[in-house]
Amino acid sequence: MAESDAVLVERARSGDGAAFEVLVRRHLRAAYAIALGILRNPADAEDVSQDAFVRALERLDECDPERFAAWLLRIVRNTAISAQRRRRVRQAMPLEWANGARSLSDPAKDAERSALRERLMEAMEPLPEKQREVLLLHDLEGWRHREIGEALGMPEGTVRYTLFQARRAMRERLGHASEEE
Amino acid sequence: MSHDPLDLTAIDPSRDAAGWERMVRGIMARAQPELARRAAGAGVLTLLGRWMRPALAAAAVLALASGAALTSANSEAAAAPATPAGVVQALEVPEPVANWLEEERRPETYDVILALEARDR
C-alpha cells in the first residue's frame, strides 16, 4: 500500500530523500498545473514547480503533514506569482507558448503536439487565473472538486461552476480557432 | 458539453517521460543540501535521544535517593527535642528561661516578675 503524505512528510523531515522523492512524483503534476495556470508558460511553470518543491522542503517543519498537498500548492502559487512579477518587471522577451516542446522521436508527431499545445495555451490565456487553475487541476491532473476546493480555499460548488465556465470558454475559443483555420 | 473534461494531454508534462524524469532529478539534486542538513540534524537528535534515556534514568534514581534522604532527615529533626539540654547549658540560659523552654510555654507577666525577684535575691 502506498504511504500517506503525512508519513512521507515525517520521513522527509528527517532527511529521507526517498520519501521526499515520492512526494515530488506524487504532487509535481499538480504543482506544474498551478504554476502553468498562473504563468501560462510551460518552461516557467517547470522552473517554478522545481523552486517550489525545494522551498517546501526548506520549510517542511511549518507544514501540517495531513494537509501537505494544499500547503504545497500555496507555496507554488506564491512562487509563481513572485516569478510573474519579476517577469513583468523584466519583460525581456515575449511569451513563447511552445517553448516547453520536447524532442520526441517522431518529428511529425512532435510538430502536431506542439501545435496542439500552442492552441490550448492560447485558448487558456484569457481565462481568469482561478479558472485556469481549476481547469488544469481537474482536467489535467484529475483532482476531484472537493480536493481542488480544499487546495484553493474554494467551496465545492464554486469549484464546479468555475470549472464549467472555464470549459465553456475554452471550447468556444478552440471552436473559433478551428473555424479560423 | 461543458460538463465533459477537456483533453489537455497535449500540455501534460509527464507525457515526455525523459523530460519528466529530468524535472524530478533536477528537484532532487537541488534538494540534496537541505536533505543532508536534515539528516545530520536527525542524527544528532538520535544520538541525544540515545544518551538522554540513561541520563534521565540516572536523574530519576538520584531524585528518588535525594527525596528519601530529605524525608529521613526531616523525620529525625522532628523527633529531636526543640532545645536539647546540652545546648541550653552551653548557651548559659538562665534557669527560669530554661524551664520555660523545657515546658514549651510562653512566660506570663508574673513568671517574669518572679524570675527577676529570684535573681535579685
Side-chain angles (χ1 to χ4, degrees):
Chain A
M1 208 179 86
E3 280 181 295
S4 69
D5 280 359
V7 170
L8 294 167
V9 166
E10 290 297 350
R11 283 175 49 198
R13 277 178 177 166
S14 311
D16 185 336
F20 182 65
E21 188 172 336
V22 175
L23 285 171
V24 170
R25 290 185 185 278
R26 193 176 285 177
H27 296 289
L28 183 53
R29 277 165 53 105
Y32 176 85
I34 288 287
L36 186 64
I38 293 169
L39 297 163
R40 291 165 284 168
N41 179 308
D44 286 352
E46 282 186 16
D47 289 346
V48 160
S49 310
Q50 294 192 11
D51 287 349
F53 268 101
V54 176
R55 207 170 282 190
L57 177 65
E58 286 165 358
R59 293 165 49 185
L60 206 54
D61 299 323
E62 299 167 20
C63 155
D64 172 1
E66 300 291 342
R67 299 182 48 77
F68 173 75
W71 177 79
L72 171 73
L73 293 192
R74 272 202 301 279
I75 294 180
V76 175
R77 288 190 96 246
N78 293 339
T79 312
I81 289 165
S82 301
Q84 194 179 36
R85 282 198 199 112
R86 281 198 303 274
R87 197 172 64 182
R88 277 183 192 148
V89 169
R90 274 201 324 264
Q91 288 185 333
M93 52 193 230
L95 296 180
E96 292 172 22
W97 299 124
N99 61 0
R102 304 271 180 220
S103 57
L104 299 169
S105 52
D106 185 339
K109 273 190 177 175
D110 191 5
E112 192 186 323
R113 279 175 189 157
S114 180
L116 190 55
R117 178 167 47 230
E118 208 169 324
R119 278 181 57 204
L120 281 172
M121 293 307 298
E122 275 171 2
M124 209 181 297
E125 190 189 352
L127 294 184
E129 193 176 293
K130 271 278 185 274
Q131 285 188 17
R132 285 197 301 267
E133 288 177 18
V134 169
L135 178 73
L136 288 166
L137 281 177
H138 194 281
D139 287 359
L140 178 64
E141 181 55 16
W143 280 28
R144 294 181 182 152
H145 300 107
R146 184 181 50 78
E147 293 171 323
I148 297 171
E150 279 175 12
L152 301 183
M154 296 164 74
E156 203 176 316
T158 310
V159 172
R160 283 178 193 279
Y161 185 62
T162 307
L163 181 63
F164 175 83
Q165 285 180 311
R167 282 176 181 161
R168 191 173 57 188
M170 284 288 286
R171 287 206 164 91
E172 275 175 19
R173 289 193 186 103
L174 289 168
H176 287 161
S178 50
E179 279 168 20
E180 283 166 15
E181 283 164 9
Chain B
M1 263 297 283
S2 296
H3 291 296
D4 299 327
L6 283 172
D7 181 7
L8 299 178
T9 46
I11 52 172
D12 180 354
S14 61
R15 273 172 64 106
D16 172 18
W20 186 248
E21 204 53 37
R22 252 198 321 274
M23 219 167 140
V24 174
R25 293 283 130 231
I27 294 170
M28 291 310 294
R30 287 179 56 191
Q32 277 317 307
E34 178 62 16
L35 285 168
R37 190 189 67 78
R38 285 179 174 276
V44 168
L45 281 179
T46 310
L47 203 68
L48 272 176
R50 272 189 215 138
W51 179 83
M52 286 280 279
R53 212 167 283 176
L56 276 175
V61 168
L62 272 176
L64 276 175
S66 310
L70 274 174
T71 311
S72 143
N74 280 345
S75 56
E76 274 170 25
T83 49
V87 175
V88 171
Q89 283 161 2
L91 293 175
E92 293 179 358
V93 176
E95 197 188 330
V97 179
N99 290 339
W100 300 332
L101 283 171
E102 219 173 271
E103 291 163 15
E104 289 183 0
R105 74 176 174 86
R106 200 168 41 194
E108 302 296 334
T109 317
Y110 70 87
D111 288 326
V112 178
I113 294 168
L114 282 175
L116 287 173
E117 279 177 359
R119 192 192 68 179
D120 295 340
R121 260 186 255 132

PDB file of all heavy atoms in Angstrom, chain B residues 3-29:
ATOM      1  N   HIS B   3     -19.706  19.984 -19.273  1.00  0.00           N
ATOM      2  CA  HIS B   3     -19.510  19.084 -18.140  1.00  0.00           C
ATOM      3  C   HIS B   3     -18.479  18.004 -18.472  1.00  0.00           C
ATOM      4  O   HIS B   3     -18.002  17.326 -17.584  1.00  0.00           O
ATOM      5  CB  HIS B   3     -20.837  18.440 -17.726  1.00  0.00           C
ATOM      6  CG  HIS B   3     -21.783  19.419 -17.111  1.00  0.00           C
ATOM      7  ND1 HIS B   3     -21.514  20.067 -15.921  1.00  0.00           N
ATOM      8  CD2 HIS B   3     -22.978  19.895 -17.542  1.00  0.00           C
ATOM      9  CE1 HIS B   3     -22.521  20.894 -15.634  1.00  0.00           C
ATOM     10  NE2 HIS B   3     -23.410  20.801 -16.607  1.00  0.00           N
ATOM     11  N   ASP B   4     -18.202  17.837 -19.760  1.00  0.00           N
ATOM     12  CA  ASP B   4     -17.214  16.824 -20.154  1.00  0.00           C
ATOM     13  C   ASP B   4     -15.808  17.398 -20.018  1.00  0.00           C
ATOM     14  O   ASP B   4     -15.566  18.546 -20.395  1.00  0.00           O
ATOM     15  CB  ASP B   4     -17.437  16.397 -21.610  1.00  0.00           C
ATOM     16  CG  ASP B   4     -18.818  15.773 -21.793  1.00  0.00           C
ATOM     17  OD1 ASP B   4     -19.289  15.133 -20.842  1.00  0.00           O
ATOM     18  OD2 ASP B   4     -19.419  15.962 -22.874  1.00  0.00           O
ATOM     19  N   PRO B   5     -14.875  16.586 -19.529  1.00  0.00           N
ATOM     20  CA  PRO B   5     -13.498  17.092 -19.383  1.00  0.00           C
ATOM     21  C   PRO B   5     -12.887  17.448 -20.740  1.00  0.00           C
ATOM     22  O   PRO B   5     -13.210  16.832 -21.750  1.00  0.00           O
ATOM     23  CB  PRO B   5     -12.751  15.912 -18.755  1.00  0.00           C
ATOM     24  CG  PRO B   5     -13.799  15.009 -18.233  1.00  0.00           C
ATOM     25  CD  PRO B   5     -15.024  15.226 -19.044  1.00  0.00           C
ATOM     26  N   LEU B   6     -12.013  18.438 -20.702  1.00  0.00           N
ATOM     27  CA  LEU B   6     -11.278  18.798 -21.934  1.00  0.00           C
ATOM     28  C   LEU B   6     -10.074  17.864 -22.027  1.00  0.00           C
ATOM     29  O   LEU B   6      -9.525  17.443 -21.013  1.00  0.00           O
ATOM     30  CB  LEU B   6     -10.767  20.233 -21.824  1.00  0.00           C
ATOM     31  CG  LEU B   6     -11.785  21.360 -22.034  1.00  0.00           C
ATOM     32  CD1 LEU B   6     -11.129  22.684 -21.682  1.00  0.00           C
ATOM     33  CD2 LEU B   6     -12.283  21.386 -23.468  1.00  0.00           C
ATOM     34  N   ASP B   7      -9.663  17.602 -23.223  1.00  0.00           N
ATOM     35  CA  ASP B   7      -8.460  16.781 -23.407  1.00  0.00           C
ATOM     36  C   ASP B   7      -7.247  17.709 -23.363  1.00  0.00           C
ATOM     37  O   ASP B   7      -6.961  18.422 -24.322  1.00  0.00           O
ATOM     38  CB  ASP B   7      -8.533  16.047 -24.748  1.00  0.00           C
ATOM     39  CG  ASP B   7      -7.306  15.165 -24.953  1.00  0.00           C
ATOM     40  OD1 ASP B   7      -6.495  15.044 -23.998  1.00  0.00           O
ATOM     41  OD2 ASP B   7      -7.152  14.613 -26.053  1.00  0.00           O
ATOM     42  N   LEU B   8      -6.561  17.686 -22.230  1.00  0.00           N
ATOM     43  CA  LEU B   8      -5.401  18.583 -22.054  1.00  0.00           C
ATOM     44  C   LEU B   8      -4.084  17.809 -22.110  1.00  0.00           C
ATOM     45  O   LEU B   8      -3.053  18.314 -21.657  1.00  0.00           O
ATOM     46  CB  LEU B   8      -5.514  19.323 -20.718  1.00  0.00           C
ATOM     47  CG  LEU B   8      -6.742  20.228 -20.530  1.00  0.00           C
ATOM     48  CD1 LEU B   8      -6.732  20.848 -19.137  1.00  0.00           C
ATOM     49  CD2 LEU B   8      -6.797  21.325 -21.579  1.00  0.00           C
ATOM     50  N   THR B   9      -4.137  16.612 -22.632  1.00  0.00           N
ATOM     51  CA  THR B   9      -2.915  15.781 -22.603  1.00  0.00           C
ATOM     52  C   THR B   9      -1.756  16.434 -23.372  1.00  0.00           C
ATOM     53  O   THR B   9      -0.603  16.143 -23.091  1.00  0.00           O
ATOM     54  CB  THR B   9      -3.182  14.381 -23.159  1.00  0.00           C
ATOM     55  OG1 THR B   9      -3.927  14.500 -24.362  1.00  0.00           O
ATOM     56  CG2 THR B   9      -3.930  13.515 -22.171  1.00  0.00           C
ATOM     57  N   ALA B  10      -2.091  17.316 -24.321  1.00  0.00           N
ATOM     58  CA  ALA B  10      -1.018  17.956 -25.100  1.00  0.00           C
ATOM     59  C   ALA B  10      -0.130  18.828 -24.208  1.00  0.00           C
ATOM     60  O   ALA B  10       1.032  19.059 -24.541  1.00  0.00           O
ATOM     61  CB  ALA B  10      -1.615  18.792 -26.221  1.00  0.00           C
ATOM     62  N   ILE B  11      -0.700  19.308 -23.086  1.00  0.00           N
ATOM     63  CA  ILE B  11       0.143  20.144 -22.208  1.00  0.00           C
ATOM     64  C   ILE B  11       0.548  19.384 -20.943  1.00  0.00           C
ATOM     65  O   ILE B  11       1.023  19.980 -19.979  1.00  0.00           O
ATOM     66  CB  ILE B  11      -0.553  21.481 -21.842  1.00  0.00           C
ATOM     67  CG1 ILE B  11      -1.950  21.228 -21.279  1.00  0.00           C
ATOM     68  CG2 ILE B  11      -0.580  22.422 -23.015  1.00  0.00           C
ATOM     69  CD1 ILE B  11      -2.609  22.486 -20.733  1.00  0.00           C
ATOM     70  N   ASP B  12       0.341  18.074 -20.980  1.00  0.00           N
ATOM     71  CA  ASP B  12       0.732  17.251 -19.825  1.00  0.00           C
ATOM     72  C   ASP B  12       2.257  17.024 -19.861  1.00  0.00           C
ATOM     73  O   ASP B  12       2.763  16.389 -20.780  1.00  0.00           O
ATOM     74  CB  ASP B  12      -0.001  15.902 -19.893  1.00  0.00           C
ATOM     75  CG  ASP B  12       0.353  15.008 -18.717  1.00  0.00           C
ATOM     76  OD1 ASP B  12       1.239  15.383 -17.922  1.00  0.00           O
ATOM     77  OD2 ASP B  12      -0.258  13.936 -18.605  1.00  0.00           O
ATOM     78  N   PRO B  13       2.977  17.570 -18.900  1.00  0.00           N
ATOM     79  CA  PRO B  13       4.442  17.460 -18.959  1.00  0.00           C
ATOM     80  C   PRO B  13       4.943  16.021 -18.776  1.00  0.00           C
ATOM     81  O   PRO B  13       6.032  15.694 -19.220  1.00  0.00           O
ATOM     82  CB  PRO B  13       4.905  18.337 -17.802  1.00  0.00           C
ATOM     83  CG  PRO B  13       3.756  18.356 -16.855  1.00  0.00           C
ATOM     84  CD  PRO B  13       2.525  18.242 -17.687  1.00  0.00           C
ATOM     85  N   SER B  14       4.137  15.172 -18.143  1.00  0.00           N
ATOM     86  CA  SER B  14       4.619  13.803 -17.899  1.00  0.00           C
ATOM     87  C   SER B  14       4.491  12.907 -19.131  1.00  0.00           C
ATOM     88  O   SER B  14       4.908  11.755 -19.113  1.00  0.00           O
ATOM     89  CB  SER B  14       3.866  13.192 -16.717  1.00  0.00           C
ATOM     90  OG  SER B  14       2.495  13.123 -16.988  1.00  0.00           O
ATOM     91  N   ARG B  15       3.919  13.452 -20.213  1.00  0.00           N
ATOM     92  CA  ARG B  15       3.858  12.679 -21.474  1.00  0.00           C
ATOM     93  C   ARG B  15       5.262  12.434 -22.014  1.00  0.00           C
ATOM     94  O   ARG B  15       5.528  11.432 -22.634  1.00  0.00           O
ATOM     95  CB  ARG B  15       3.060  13.459 -22.527  1.00  0.00           C
ATOM     96  CG  ARG B  15       1.580  13.205 -22.472  1.00  0.00           C
ATOM     97  CD  ARG B  15       0.884  14.146 -23.406  1.00  0.00           C
ATOM     98  NE  ARG B  15       1.278  13.890 -24.786  1.00  0.00           N
ATOM     99  CZ  ARG B  15       0.505  13.294 -25.679  1.00  0.00           C
ATOM    100  NH1 ARG B  15      -0.692  12.894 -25.341  1.00  0.00           N
ATOM    101  NH2 ARG B  15       0.925  13.113 -26.916  1.00  0.00           N
ATOM    102  N   ASP B  16       6.131  13.389 -21.783  1.00  0.00           N
ATOM    103  CA  ASP B  16       7.519  13.224 -22.200  1.00  0.00           C
ATOM    104  C   ASP B  16       8.286  12.635 -21.006  1.00  0.00           C
ATOM    105  O   ASP B  16       8.717  13.367 -20.114  1.00  0.00           O
ATOM    106  CB  ASP B  16       8.089  14.589 -22.615  1.00  0.00           C
ATOM    107  CG  ASP B  16       9.583  14.521 -22.866  1.00  0.00           C
ATOM    108  OD1 ASP B  16      10.120  13.409 -23.052  1.00  0.00           O
ATOM    109  OD2 ASP B  16      10.217  15.600 -22.867  1.00  0.00           O
ATOM    110  N   ALA B  17       8.407  11.317 -21.018  1.00  0.00           N
ATOM    111  CA  ALA B  17       8.965  10.616 -19.854  1.00  0.00           C
ATOM    112  C   ALA B  17      10.371  11.111 -19.511  1.00  0.00           C
ATOM    113  O   ALA B  17      10.683  11.317 -18.331  1.00  0.00           O
ATOM    114  CB  ALA B  17       8.978   9.123 -20.115  1.00  0.00           C
ATOM    115  N   ALA B  18      11.185  11.329 -20.551  1.00  0.00           N
ATOM    116  CA  ALA B  18      12.575  11.749 -20.293  1.00  0.00           C
ATOM    117  C   ALA B  18      12.607  13.145 -19.672  1.00  0.00           C
ATOM    118  O   ALA B  18      13.339  13.395 -18.707  1.00  0.00           O
ATOM    119  CB  ALA B  18      13.366  11.725 -21.592  1.00  0.00           C
ATOM    120  N   GLY B  19      11.791  14.038 -20.235  1.00  0.00           N
ATOM    121  CA  GLY B  19      11.741  15.407 -19.712  1.00  0.00           C
ATOM    122  C   GLY B  19      11.220  15.429 -18.281  1.00  0.00           C
ATOM    123  O   GLY B  19      11.721  16.159 -17.430  1.00  0.00           O
ATOM    124  N   TRP B  20      10.225  14.592 -18.033  1.00  0.00           N
ATOM    125  CA  TRP B  20       9.629  14.491 -16.696  1.00  0.00           C
ATOM    126  C   TRP B  20      10.658  14.004 -15.691  1.00  0.00           C
ATOM    127  O   TRP B  20      10.791  14.547 -14.594  1.00  0.00           O
ATOM    128  CB  TRP B  20       8.443  13.533 -16.762  1.00  0.00           C
ATOM    129  CG  TRP B  20       7.654  13.451 -15.496  1.00  0.00           C
ATOM    130  CD1 TRP B  20       7.554  12.400 -14.660  1.00  0.00           C
ATOM    131  CD2 TRP B  20       6.835  14.485 -14.932  1.00  0.00           C
ATOM    132  NE1 TRP B  20       6.742  12.701 -13.606  1.00  0.00           N
ATOM    133  CE2 TRP B  20       6.283  13.972 -13.746  1.00  0.00           C
ATOM    134  CE3 TRP B  20       6.533  15.798 -15.321  1.00  0.00           C
ATOM    135  CZ2 TRP B  20       5.439  14.723 -12.941  1.00  0.00           C
ATOM    136  CZ3 TRP B  20       5.686  16.538 -14.508  1.00  0.00           C
ATOM    137  CH2 TRP B  20       5.153  16.005 -13.343  1.00  0.00           C
ATOM    138  N   GLU B  21      11.391  12.980 -16.091  1.00  0.00           N
ATOM    139  CA  GLU B  21      12.418  12.415 -15.230  1.00  0.00           C
ATOM    140  C   GLU B  21      13.501  13.457 -14.938  1.00  0.00           C
ATOM    141  O   GLU B  21      13.988  13.559 -13.805  1.00  0.00           O
ATOM    142  CB  GLU B  21      13.018  11.180 -15.924  1.00  0.00           C
ATOM    143  CG  GLU B  21      13.645  10.171 -14.995  1.00  0.00           C
ATOM    144  CD  GLU B  21      12.741   9.710 -13.861  1.00  0.00           C
ATOM    145  OE1 GLU B  21      11.524   9.567 -14.083  1.00  0.00           O
ATOM    146  OE2 GLU B  21      13.257   9.533 -12.741  1.00  0.00           O
ATOM    147  N   ARG B  22      13.841  14.243 -15.964  1.00  0.00           N
ATOM    148  CA  ARG B  22      14.834  15.318 -15.789  1.00  0.00           C
ATOM    149  C   ARG B  22      14.362  16.311 -14.725  1.00  0.00           C
ATOM    150  O   ARG B  22      15.132  16.782 -13.898  1.00  0.00           O
ATOM    151  CB  ARG B  22      15.033  16.053 -17.120  1.00  0.00           C
ATOM    152  CG  ARG B  22      16.358  15.765 -17.798  1.00  0.00           C
ATOM    153  CD  ARG B  22      16.722  16.786 -18.854  1.00  0.00           C
ATOM    154  NE  ARG B  22      15.633  17.276 -19.665  1.00  0.00           N
ATOM    155  CZ  ARG B  22      15.176  16.701 -20.775  1.00  0.00           C
ATOM    156  NH1 ARG B  22      15.709  15.577 -21.205  1.00  0.00           N
ATOM    157  NH2 ARG B  22      14.183  17.245 -21.467  1.00  0.00           N
ATOM    158  N   MET B  23      13.065  16.591 -14.794  1.00  0.00           N
ATOM    159  CA  MET B  23      12.485  17.553 -13.850  1.00  0.00           C
ATOM    160  C   MET B  23      12.579  17.020 -12.408  1.00  0.00           C
ATOM    161  O   MET B  23      12.994  17.747 -11.504  1.00  0.00           O
ATOM    162  CB  MET B  23      11.008  17.752 -14.219  1.00  0.00           C
ATOM    163  CG  MET B  23      10.520  19.158 -14.089  1.00  0.00           C
ATOM    164  SD  MET B  23       8.928  19.281 -14.911  1.00  0.00           S
ATOM    165  CE  MET B  23       8.073  20.333 -13.772  1.00  0.00           C
ATOM    166  N   VAL B  24      12.215  15.758 -12.241  1.00  0.00           N
ATOM    167  CA  VAL B  24      12.283  15.140 -10.905  1.00  0.00           C
ATOM    168  C   VAL B  24      13.730  15.118 -10.417  1.00  0.00           C
ATOM    169  O   VAL B  24      14.031  15.492  -9.273  1.00  0.00           O
ATOM    170  CB  VAL B  24      11.689  13.713 -10.922  1.00  0.00           C
ATOM    171  CG1 VAL B  24      11.897  13.018  -9.581  1.00  0.00           C
ATOM    172  CG2 VAL B  24      10.210  13.742 -11.273  1.00  0.00           C
ATOM    173  N   ARG B  25      14.639  14.716 -11.310  1.00  0.00           N
ATOM    174  CA  ARG B  25      16.077  14.653 -10.948  1.00  0.00           C
ATOM    175  C   ARG B  25      16.585  16.044 -10.558  1.00  0.00           C
ATOM    176  O   ARG B  25      17.389  16.189  -9.645  1.00  0.00           O
ATOM    177  CB  ARG B  25      16.917  14.113 -12.116  1.00  0.00           C
ATOM    178  CG  ARG B  25      16.675  12.673 -12.470  1.00  0.00           C
ATOM    179  CD  ARG B  25      17.348  11.739 -11.471  1.00  0.00           C
ATOM    180  NE  ARG B  25      16.399  10.760 -11.015  1.00  0.00           N
ATOM    181  CZ  ARG B  25      16.130  10.456  -9.754  1.00  0.00           C
ATOM    182  NH1 ARG B  25      16.775  11.034  -8.774  1.00  0.00           N
ATOM    183  NH2 ARG B  25      15.236   9.559  -9.433  1.00  0.00           N
ATOM    184  N   GLY B  26      16.117  17.052 -11.317  1.00  0.00           N
ATOM    185  CA  GLY B  26      16.532  18.436 -11.037  1.00  0.00           C
ATOM    186  C   GLY B  26      16.133  18.853  -9.629  1.00  0.00           C
ATOM    187  O   GLY B  26      16.932  19.450  -8.893  1.00  0.00           O
ATOM    188  N   ILE B  27      14.895  18.517  -9.275  1.00  0.00           N
ATOM    189  CA  ILE B  27      14.417  18.878  -7.922  1.00  0.00           C
ATOM    190  C   ILE B  27      15.238  18.136  -6.872  1.00  0.00           C
ATOM    191  O   ILE B  27      15.685  18.731  -5.885  1.00  0.00           O
ATOM    192  CB  ILE B  27      12.917  18.530  -7.759  1.00  0.00           C
ATOM    193  CG1 ILE B  27      12.061  19.390  -8.684  1.00  0.00           C
ATOM    194  CG2 ILE B  27      12.477  18.711  -6.305  1.00  0.00           C
ATOM    195  CD1 ILE B  27      10.606  18.965  -8.776  1.00  0.00           C
ATOM    196  N   MET B  28      15.444  16.842  -7.101  1.00  0.00           N
ATOM    197  CA  MET B  28      16.164  16.036  -6.111  1.00  0.00           C
ATOM    198  C   MET B  28      17.606  16.538  -5.943  1.00  0.00           C
ATOM    199  O   MET B  28      18.132  16.557  -4.833  1.00  0.00           O
ATOM    200  CB  MET B  28      16.155  14.553  -6.488  1.00  0.00           C
ATOM    201  CG  MET B  28      14.779  13.906  -6.388  1.00  0.00           C
ATOM    202  SD  MET B  28      13.933  14.207  -4.814  1.00  0.00           S
ATOM    203  CE  MET B  28      14.995  13.344  -3.672  1.00  0.00           C
ATOM    204  N   ALA B  29      18.220  16.944  -7.070  1.00  0.00           N
ATOM    205  CA  ALA B  29      19.601  17.448  -6.988  1.00  0.00           C
ATOM    206  C   ALA B  29      19.639  18.729  -6.150  1.00  0.00           C
ATOM    207  O   ALA B  29      20.508  18.908  -5.299  1.00  0.00           O
ATOM    208  CB  ALA B  29      20.143  17.700  -8.386  1.00  0.00           C
TER     209      ALA B  29
END
